[in-house]
Amino acid sequence: MILLSPPDWAAYQGRFIALWTDAQYAYALYQPAELVAVALEGGTYPALPHAGAGWYQRLAFDLHGFKATGAADTRPAIEHFRAADFTAPWPEFAAPEVEGVHQVAVGPIHAGIIEPGHFRFSVRGEEVLKLEARFGYAHKGTLGLMRGKSPRLAARYAARISGDATVAHSLAFAQAAEAALGVSPSGRAIYLRAVMAELERIANHTADIGALAGDAGFAFLDARFALAREYICAAAAMAFGHRLMMDIVIPGGVAGDIAEGGAGEILAVLAALEAELPSLTRVFEDYASLQDRVIGTGIIPPHLAAEFHAGGYVGRASGQAHDARVQPGYPPYFEHMLHMPVQQEGDVAARIRIRLDEIPESIRLIRDMLFALPAGALAAPLPPGSGMGLGVAESFRGPVWHWLHVDNGTIVTAFIADASALHWPLLEHAATTAILADFPLINKSVNGSYAGVDL
Amino acid sequence: MVWKTTLGHILGKATPPTAADPARAAEMRARVAAAGSARLGRSLAIRHVAAGSCNGCELELRATQNMVHDLTQYGFTFTPSPRHADILLITGVAGRNMVEAARQARAAMPEPVLVVACGDCAVDGGVFKGSPAIAGGAEAITAIDLFIPGCPPTPTQIVQGLLALIEAHSFPPKKTRR
């Protein structure tokens, strides 16, 4: 960590990832893993000019009350209903000033089986002029609950930051705790973690590609991909004891070994998926009315993705060749060369293609890792030490960063940055490149986590 | 010609879906038939509300609709509108920002309404119990008829829970439940 003066802090150049505060400092994280800090003066710190900083500054104010001086955007991030009886009036949105424009309100309860969030569209006819997304509906005070607990105990909160990326969040949290306390997990634990993380990636990619086809009205692909996910979850339950592999990655290692026959089960399921995938991809590419919906829809131009330093398939579909497994990288990926698909179009189709390309790559990684699975202890004990630690893992949707300050074995401050925080502003832009009826498709293709940003 | 590709796929490479447990599915269908559902009919619409979950429950809830678990075979469907719903299914804690919205969804449903709390968070707050940002489990929103524990509950547990709900309400009650 580098402590900067306020002018240096505001002028610091780099690929911005996240910003947060504790009682004394404001911290900013830049790629690949540079952490800078500035001392708070009277509960304020200078606002950062980076595109992605807005959300974090609003969040810091709602969580701790520390203000970013000079910040343009001071809307509440997660605190909308402070009244004790939860009946405060609904938040107001700025009325459109152009004639002929009206607003469409969607949420916080959505039509499908999804998380809560509010979208406010300003539309003229079918054309979307502006989208304002409001979050905080899934706010559960997770960061506050972590404080005062041991890393081992707080790991169950990390596993529930975003259920679809539970392995990746647990992994980033474990790495942060291990860095803070100077513990190194065994080779076996590292490999088992990576196998779970890649399984989670395939499960989410298959389910989401299917759901996208389903949103466009093509039930066949939805059914086949949902089935693929189901089999992966069943294999995960057999091998690791939980369908989503929740609470298995813990600080120091893993909570349990892979079951006997688990590796065979996983490999069999992946072989079936690998055999079916080329044919499913061909169906996706052949179906003209599906292609018509996804090509050129919801465009995130590369320059905008670069401005927000978007990671994951959102970034990679818009020309950003970044993957936390490569840069900054973490074991065991140093030993397994990774093929990183990158596209320039930035539309819904490009994001689907990236995810289709990543499935065989993850299958290959799992095969290699299960084959090379070393023997060793499952978990190393955590000493009750003190220190700060940063951890990163590439979830299926992009990098997730965990930062921990541990004092005498208990957590003083924790912060978690999900990739979604940098993706949501891009969705707000992408929505304006299409008509209102395309929004479900665009939203699903970006697939930001609501719970992951509401913390 | 997409139909050729699709047909070729179905006839050729695709592995046929296996039911989660054919014996159990048959048993559950028999239970639905035995319950008769005199009061509820054989078609129940569910309105799902995520009131503050981690999205794990939503994943498994969606999985109940896949070819393996196939919730529809027991007569359950998900509906976007609370006006068409018989069951309100709540996942997640009662987040402070969601209590009012979830209550409005409950109020918009025609009586009689059955309310299901799905997942540990909805049952009693789960791991988030005691957080100042939440009002508690789903009971903080409205009265609950059925609790389905699990973090997250498996699709099989969700389906079995919903069947238990039908069985409990299979005979017409003496007076209208509130």
Side-chain angles (χ1 to χ4, degrees), chain A residues 287-319:
Chain A
Y287 197 53
S289 63
L290 180 57
Q291 290 291 304
D292 184 54
R293 291 292 307 276
V294 296
I295 291 178
T297 307
I299 295 170
I300 297 169
H303 73 87
L304 211 58
E307 205 180 307
F308 279 90
H309 310 133
Y313 50 80
V314 173
R316 291 194 282 276
S318 298

Short mmCIF file of all heavy atoms in Angstrom, two decimals, chain A residues 287-319:
data_model
loop_
_atom_site.label_atom_id
_atom_site.label_comp_id
_atom_site.label_asym_id
_atom_site.label_seq_id
_atom_site.Cartn_x
_atom_site.Cartn_y
_atom_site.Cartn_z
N TYR A 287 -29.61 -20.05 -36.61
CA TYR A 287 -30.99 -19.63 -36.42
C TYR A 287 -31.12 -18.14 -36.68
O TYR A 287 -30.79 -17.29 -35.85
CB TYR A 287 -31.44 -19.99 -35.00
CG TYR A 287 -32.92 -19.98 -34.81
CD1 TYR A 287 -33.76 -20.71 -35.63
CD2 TYR A 287 -33.49 -19.25 -33.77
CE1 TYR A 287 -35.13 -20.70 -35.46
CE2 TYR A 287 -34.86 -19.25 -33.59
CZ TYR A 287 -35.66 -19.98 -34.42
OH TYR A 287 -37.01 -19.97 -34.25
N ALA A 288 -31.61 -17.79 -37.86
CA ALA A 288 -31.57 -16.41 -38.33
C ALA A 288 -32.32 -15.45 -37.40
O ALA A 288 -31.84 -14.36 -37.11
CB ALA A 288 -32.14 -16.34 -39.74
N SER A 289 -33.49 -15.85 -36.93
CA SER A 289 -34.25 -14.89 -36.13
C SER A 289 -33.64 -14.70 -34.75
O SER A 289 -33.86 -13.67 -34.11
CB SER A 289 -35.73 -15.30 -36.03
OG SER A 289 -35.85 -16.52 -35.37
N LEU A 290 -32.85 -15.67 -34.29
CA LEU A 290 -32.10 -15.49 -33.04
C LEU A 290 -30.92 -14.55 -33.28
O LEU A 290 -30.68 -13.62 -32.51
CB LEU A 290 -31.61 -16.85 -32.53
CG LEU A 290 -30.82 -16.88 -31.23
CD1 LEU A 290 -31.60 -16.27 -30.08
CD2 LEU A 290 -30.43 -18.31 -30.87
N GLN A 291 -30.19 -14.79 -34.39
CA GLN A 291 -29.06 -13.93 -34.74
C GLN A 291 -29.52 -12.48 -34.93
O GLN A 291 -28.83 -11.55 -34.55
CB GLN A 291 -28.39 -14.44 -36.02
CG GLN A 291 -27.65 -15.75 -35.81
CD GLN A 291 -26.41 -15.56 -34.93
OE1 GLN A 291 -25.54 -14.76 -35.23
NE2 GLN A 291 -26.36 -16.30 -33.84
N ASP A 292 -30.71 -12.34 -35.51
CA ASP A 292 -31.24 -11.00 -35.75
C ASP A 292 -31.43 -10.23 -34.44
O ASP A 292 -31.27 -9.02 -34.39
CB ASP A 292 -32.57 -11.11 -36.50
CG ASP A 292 -33.12 -9.75 -36.86
OD1 ASP A 292 -32.37 -8.98 -37.49
OD2 ASP A 292 -34.28 -9.46 -36.51
N ARG A 293 -31.79 -10.97 -33.39
CA ARG A 293 -32.01 -10.30 -32.11
C ARG A 293 -30.69 -9.91 -31.44
O ARG A 293 -30.65 -8.91 -30.71
CB ARG A 293 -32.78 -11.22 -31.14
CG ARG A 293 -34.23 -11.48 -31.51
CD ARG A 293 -35.11 -10.24 -31.39
NE ARG A 293 -35.04 -9.56 -30.10
CZ ARG A 293 -35.76 -9.92 -29.04
NH1 ARG A 293 -36.58 -10.93 -29.12
NH2 ARG A 293 -35.65 -9.25 -27.91
N VAL A 294 -29.64 -10.71 -31.63
CA VAL A 294 -28.43 -10.50 -30.82
C VAL A 294 -27.33 -9.70 -31.53
O VAL A 294 -26.53 -9.03 -30.87
CB VAL A 294 -27.83 -11.83 -30.31
CG1 VAL A 294 -28.80 -12.51 -29.37
CG2 VAL A 294 -27.46 -12.77 -31.45
N ILE A 295 -27.29 -9.73 -32.86
CA ILE A 295 -26.21 -9.02 -33.57
C ILE A 295 -26.52 -7.53 -33.63
O ILE A 295 -27.63 -7.14 -34.01
CB ILE A 295 -25.99 -9.60 -34.98
CG1 ILE A 295 -25.40 -11.01 -34.86
CG2 ILE A 295 -25.06 -8.71 -35.81
CD1 ILE A 295 -25.19 -11.70 -36.17
N GLY A 296 -25.57 -6.73 -33.20
CA GLY A 296 -25.75 -5.28 -33.22
C GLY A 296 -26.64 -4.75 -32.12
O GLY A 296 -27.00 -3.57 -32.12
N THR A 297 -27.01 -5.62 -31.18
CA THR A 297 -27.88 -5.19 -30.07
C THR A 297 -27.04 -4.89 -28.84
O THR A 297 -26.12 -5.64 -28.51
CB THR A 297 -28.87 -6.33 -29.73
OG1 THR A 297 -29.55 -6.71 -30.91
CG2 THR A 297 -29.88 -5.87 -28.69
N GLY A 298 -27.37 -3.81 -28.15
CA GLY A 298 -26.72 -3.50 -26.88
C GLY A 298 -25.22 -3.34 -26.99
O GLY A 298 -24.46 -4.00 -26.29
N ILE A 299 -24.81 -2.41 -27.84
CA ILE A 299 -23.38 -2.28 -28.11
C ILE A 299 -22.67 -1.50 -27.00
O ILE A 299 -23.10 -0.42 -26.61
CB ILE A 299 -23.14 -1.59 -29.47
CG1 ILE A 299 -23.67 -2.50 -30.58
CG2 ILE A 299 -21.66 -1.29 -29.68
CD1 ILE A 299 -23.71 -1.86 -31.94
N ILE A 300 -21.59 -2.08 -26.50
CA ILE A 300 -20.68 -1.38 -25.59
C ILE A 300 -19.40 -1.15 -26.38
O ILE A 300 -18.63 -2.08 -26.63
CB ILE A 300 -20.39 -2.21 -24.33
CG1 ILE A 300 -21.66 -2.44 -23.52
CG2 ILE A 300 -19.34 -1.52 -23.46
CD1 ILE A 300 -21.54 -3.45 -22.42
N PRO A 301 -19.16 0.09 -26.86
CA PRO A 301 -17.99 0.32 -27.71
C PRO A 301 -16.70 0.13 -26.92
O PRO A 301 -16.66 0.39 -25.72
CB PRO A 301 -18.16 1.78 -28.16
CG PRO A 301 -19.12 2.38 -27.21
CD PRO A 301 -19.95 1.29 -26.64
N PRO A 302 -15.62 -0.36 -27.59
CA PRO A 302 -14.36 -0.62 -26.91
C PRO A 302 -13.83 0.57 -26.11
O PRO A 302 -13.31 0.39 -25.02
CB PRO A 302 -13.42 -0.98 -28.06
CG PRO A 302 -14.31 -1.58 -29.09
CD PRO A 302 -15.60 -0.82 -28.99
N HIS A 303 -14.01 1.81 -26.64
CA HIS A 303 -13.44 2.95 -25.90
C HIS A 303 -14.12 3.13 -24.55
O HIS A 303 -13.50 3.49 -23.55
CB HIS A 303 -13.51 4.23 -26.74
CG HIS A 303 -14.89 4.80 -26.87
ND1 HIS A 303 -15.42 5.67 -25.95
CD2 HIS A 303 -15.86 4.60 -27.80
CE1 HIS A 303 -16.66 6.00 -26.32
NE2 HIS A 303 -16.94 5.36 -27.44
N LEU A 304 -15.44 2.81 -24.50
CA LEU A 304 -16.17 2.94 -23.24
C LEU A 304 -15.77 1.83 -22.27
O LEU A 304 -15.60 2.06 -21.07
CB LEU A 304 -17.67 2.89 -23.52
CG LEU A 304 -18.55 3.69 -22.58
CD1 LEU A 304 -18.15 5.16 -22.58
CD2 LEU A 304 -20.01 3.54 -22.97
N ALA A 305 -15.61 0.62 -22.81
CA ALA A 305 -15.18 -0.50 -21.97
C ALA A 305 -13.80 -0.22 -21.40
O ALA A 305 -13.50 -0.56 -20.25
CB ALA A 305 -15.17 -1.79 -22.77
N ALA A 306 -12.94 0.45 -22.21
CA ALA A 306 -11.60 0.78 -21.75
C ALA A 306 -11.66 1.84 -20.66
O ALA A 306 -10.92 1.81 -19.68
CB ALA A 306 -10.75 1.28 -22.92
N GLU A 307 -12.57 2.80 -20.82
CA GLU A 307 -12.70 3.88 -19.85
C GLU A 307 -13.09 3.33 -18.47
O GLU A 307 -12.63 3.80 -17.44
CB GLU A 307 -13.78 4.85 -20.35
CG GLU A 307 -13.65 6.25 -19.83
CD GLU A 307 -14.77 7.13 -20.39
OE1 GLU A 307 -14.95 7.18 -21.63
OE2 GLU A 307 -15.48 7.72 -19.59
N PHE A 308 -13.98 2.33 -18.47
CA PHE A 308 -14.44 1.75 -17.20
C PHE A 308 -13.55 0.58 -16.76
O PHE A 308 -13.79 -0.01 -15.73
CB PHE A 308 -15.88 1.28 -17.33
CG PHE A 308 -16.87 2.41 -17.18
CD1 PHE A 308 -17.30 3.13 -18.27
CD2 PHE A 308 -17.35 2.76 -15.92
CE1 PHE A 308 -18.20 4.18 -18.12
CE2 PHE A 308 -18.24 3.80 -15.76
CZ PHE A 308 -18.67 4.52 -16.87
N HIS A 309 -12.56 0.22 -17.59
CA HIS A 309 -11.69 -0.91 -17.29
C HIS A 309 -12.51 -2.16 -17.01
O HIS A 309 -12.30 -2.86 -16.01
CB HIS A 309 -10.77 -0.60 -16.11
CG HIS A 309 -10.06 0.71 -16.28
ND1 HIS A 309 -9.98 1.66 -15.30
CD2 HIS A 309 -9.42 1.22 -17.35
CE1 HIS A 309 -9.31 2.71 -15.75
NE2 HIS A 309 -8.96 2.46 -16.98
N ALA A 310 -13.48 -2.40 -17.87
CA ALA A 310 -14.37 -3.53 -17.68
C ALA A 310 -13.60 -4.83 -17.82
O ALA A 310 -12.77 -4.98 -18.70
CB ALA A 310 -15.49 -3.49 -18.72
N GLY A 311 -13.88 -5.75 -16.92
CA GLY A 311 -13.25 -7.06 -17.00
C GLY A 311 -14.26 -8.09 -17.46
O GLY A 311 -15.36 -7.76 -17.88
N GLY A 312 -13.85 -9.34 -17.40
CA GLY A 312 -14.77 -10.43 -17.72
C GLY A 312 -15.20 -10.44 -19.16
O GLY A 312 -14.58 -9.79 -20.02
N TYR A 313 -16.28 -11.18 -19.46
CA TYR A 313 -16.71 -11.28 -20.85
C TYR A 313 -17.25 -9.97 -21.38
O TYR A 313 -17.24 -9.73 -22.58
CB TYR A 313 -17.74 -12.41 -21.04
CG TYR A 313 -18.89 -12.35 -20.06
CD1 TYR A 313 -19.94 -11.47 -20.28
CD2 TYR A 313 -18.93 -13.16 -18.94
CE1 TYR A 313 -20.99 -11.39 -19.40
CE2 TYR A 313 -19.98 -13.09 -18.05
CZ TYR A 313 -21.02 -12.20 -18.27
OH TYR A 313 -22.05 -12.11 -17.39
N VAL A 314 -17.71 -9.07 -20.48
CA VAL A 314 -18.16 -7.75 -20.94
C VAL A 314 -16.99 -6.99 -21.53
O VAL A 314 -17.09 -6.41 -22.62
CB VAL A 314 -18.81 -6.97 -19.77
CG1 VAL A 314 -19.14 -5.55 -20.20
CG2 VAL A 314 -20.07 -7.68 -19.29
N GLY A 315 -15.85 -7.00 -20.84
CA GLY A 315 -14.67 -6.33 -21.36
C GLY A 315 -14.11 -7.04 -22.58
O GLY A 315 -13.79 -6.41 -23.57
N ARG A 316 -14.01 -8.38 -22.48
CA ARG A 316 -13.38 -9.14 -23.56
C ARG A 316 -14.19 -9.10 -24.85
O ARG A 316 -13.65 -9.26 -25.94
CB ARG A 316 -13.13 -10.59 -23.13
CG ARG A 316 -12.06 -10.70 -22.05
CD ARG A 316 -11.58 -12.11 -21.86
NE ARG A 316 -12.49 -12.93 -21.09
CZ ARG A 316 -12.53 -12.99 -19.76
NH1 ARG A 316 -11.71 -12.26 -19.06
NH2 ARG A 316 -13.38 -13.76 -19.14
N ALA A 317 -15.52 -8.88 -24.74
CA ALA A 317 -16.34 -8.76 -25.94
C ALA A 317 -16.19 -7.38 -26.56
O ALA A 317 -16.65 -7.12 -27.66
CB ALA A 317 -17.81 -9.03 -25.61
N SER A 318 -15.58 -6.44 -25.81
CA SER A 318 -15.37 -5.08 -26.31
C SER A 318 -13.89 -4.74 -26.38
O SER A 318 -13.46 -3.63 -26.08
CB SER A 318 -16.10 -4.07 -25.41
OG SER A 318 -17.48 -4.30 -25.42
N GLY A 319 -13.07 -5.73 -26.75
CA GLY A 319 -11.68 -5.47 -27.06
C GLY A 319 -10.74 -5.36 -25.87
O GLY A 319 -9.58 -5.01 -26.07
#
